Amino acid sequence: MVFSHDLREFILRARVLKLYRQGLRTARKAPVDGRDELRHMMREEMEKNRKCNDRQKIRFLLSEGIERLKRLDEMLDMQGH
């Protein structure tokens, strides 16, 4: 079914964009002198995988990104940012 296939891609894309937005919000907690570099690294990661069409790889990258973002958020919270 074509509709189901398109819907899955739409949902997966929405999850990727949500992760990116969460990353940008988390970057606001970083010290001022490191925010731009952090945003730049996030953008590079997204651009590097932009052309990926393998759903399984995208899911893997999403789960890896979520874990990395959680660790970053915890680290920034421990530092008091």
Side-chain angles (χ1 to χ4, degrees):
M1 180 177 199
V2 175
F3 178 73
S4 177
H5 179 68
D6 291 338
L7 180 60
R8 287 187 191 130
E9 286 181 10
F10 177 79
I11 291 170
L12 202 53
R13 184 176 190 279
R15 290 178 62 202
V16 169
L17 293 174
K18 179 181 177 184
L19 176 63
Y20 183 60
R21 285 190 303 271
Q22 286 173 331
L24 293 177
R25 283 188 209 105
T26 300
R28 289 186 213 153
K29 295 181 184 179
V32 176
D33 57 336
R35 286 180 193 166
D36 287 338
E37 183 180 351
L38 190 55
R39 283 189 213 116
H40 181 71
M41 288 172 39
M42 287 180 198
R43 178 68 183 210
E44 278 183 346
E45 283 291 317
M46 296 302 254
E47 288 295 330
K48 182 173 77 174
N49 297 298
R50 182 180 204 143
K51 302 286 185 195
C52 181
N53 292 323
D54 182 357
R55 276 194 249 151
Q56 188 173 3
K57 183 176 179 183
I58 294 170
R59 285 189 206 106
F60 170 77
L61 291 168
L62 267 171
S63 63
E64 185 178 281
I66 290 167
E67 287 303 313
R68 289 172 68 182
L69 188 57
K70 282 180 188 176
R71 287 193 304 268
L72 175 64
D73 195 38
E74 289 170 359
M75 183 185 74
L76 291 171
D77 283 345
M78 283 192 279
Q79 291 178 350
H81 295 287

